[in-house]
Amino acid sequence: MNSARILEESYTIEDIYNLQQGERAELIDGQIYFMAPPNTRHQRFVHFLDRIIGNYIQDKNGQCEVFPAPFAVFLNKNAKNYVEPDLSIICDKEKITDKGCNGAPDWIIEVVSPASRQMDYYKKLFKYRAAGVREYWVIDPDKQIVTVYNFESDHMEEYSLMDSIKVGIYEDLIIDFSAFMVNGE
C-alpha cells in the first residue's frame, strides 16, 4: 500500500522580506497570503480615518501614533506572523522600531476588499485578539457596515456607514462616518 504525504511548506518573515520588489504579502502561522493592490475607495477610507485619528491625537497632545499600511506589525516574538493592517494605532513607544511594531497595536482598522474578506473577518480577528490588540474595526464598504470589536470589554457591535462611532480606547473620540459618506463616497 502506497500512501502519499502532503507537506505544507511553512514560511517565515525572512521569506516576506525576500519577495520581489513591490509584491506585498502577510504571514499568518507560517502561511503566506498575497495582497492585491487597494482600490480608490479603500484608500479614501484609510486616508479619512488616518486624518481624523491623527488630528485627534495631535490636538490632545497624545502619545499614540497612527501608521497606515504598508507598515509591518510583528504580532508575536516568533517569525511566523507578520501583518500590514490598513491602520495601526500604537500607544506604547517601546513597541515601535525602524522595522515596524513589535507586539500588538492598541487599535487596528482593516478596510475589507473582496479579496481580503476571509482574512479580515476570521483569521486576523483571532490573531489580533490573541496578540493583545485592544480594539479592532472592520470596515466593509460593500456591506456598508463597520464591525467594532472591543476586546477589553469582550464586546462586538455593528454600525452602518452613516453612524457616528465612539472609539473605545479614547474617552472622547467619535468618528462620524456620515460626513465621509456624503463627501467622500
Side-chain angles (χ1 to χ4, degrees):
M1 180 176 188
N2 189 4
S3 71
R5 216 172 109 196
I6 299 173
L7 297 175
E8 278 193 33
E9 191 158 352
S10 184
Y11 297 94
T12 67
I13 291 167
E14 186 176 322
D15 294 305
I16 295 292
Y17 283 121
N18 288 328
L19 292 174
Q20 291 182 9
Q21 181 75 20
E23 197 168 34
R24 289 182 54 215
E26 295 178 306
L27 182 70
I28 296 182
D29 295 329
Q31 295 301 303
I32 291 179
Y33 297 90
F34 290 93
M35 300 165 65
N39 64 26
T40 301
R41 178 171 61 171
H42 178 280
Q43 292 302 89
R44 283 182 177 142
F45 270 105
V46 171
H47 180 68
F48 166 76
L49 291 164
D50 183 30
R51 196 174 62 243
I52 296 291
I53 298 164
N55 287 345
Y56 171 84
I57 292 169
Q58 183 177 3
D59 291 348
K60 298 286 184 173
N61 294 314
Q63 296 301 306
C64 302
E65 289 187 65
V66 183
F67 294 93
F71 180 75
V73 173
F74 307 95
L75 289 174
N76 311 97
K77 294 187 190 271
N78 68 31
K80 301 280 184 187
N81 290 287
Y82 165 98
V83 292
E84 292 184 4
D86 290 320
L87 286 168
S88 300
I89 296 83
I90 304 160
C91 301
D92 181 352
K93 301 279 189 201
E94 298 286 316
K95 291 182 179 180
I96 302 170
T97 69
D98 284 343
K99 288 190 173 193
C101 176
N102 288 321
D106 293 86
W107 179 19
I108 289 178
I109 300 172
E110 296 282 10
V111 179
V112 174
S113 65
S116 72
R117 186 170 304 284
Q118 181 85 7
M119 288 288 289
D120 294 338
Y121 277 109
Y122 300 104
K123 288 186 188 304
K124 287 183 178 181
L125 170 68
F126 294 111
K127 279 295 171 192
Y128 292 161
R129 182 181 192 128
V133 171
R134 296 167 55 197
E135 188 164 354
Y136 176 43
W137 288 23
V138 180
I139 299 169
D140 194 328
D142 289 340
K143 292 183 178 180
Q144 298 282 302
I145 60 171
V146 179
T147 306
V148 174
Y149 299 91
N150 186 323
F151 296 136
E152 290 182 315
S153 65
D154 199 29
H155 183 75
M156 185 273 289
E157 193 158 347
E158 285 188 349
Y159 299 89
S160 87
L161 283 178
M162 293 305 289
D163 288 335
S164 293
I165 304 172
K166 183 183 178 317
V167 177
I169 69 166
Y170 294 113
E171 289 181 22
D172 59 350
L173 175 56
I174 296 171
I175 297 178
D176 179 5
F177 279 90
S178 67
F180 171 76
M181 294 305 289
V182 169
N183 297 318
E185 269 297 286

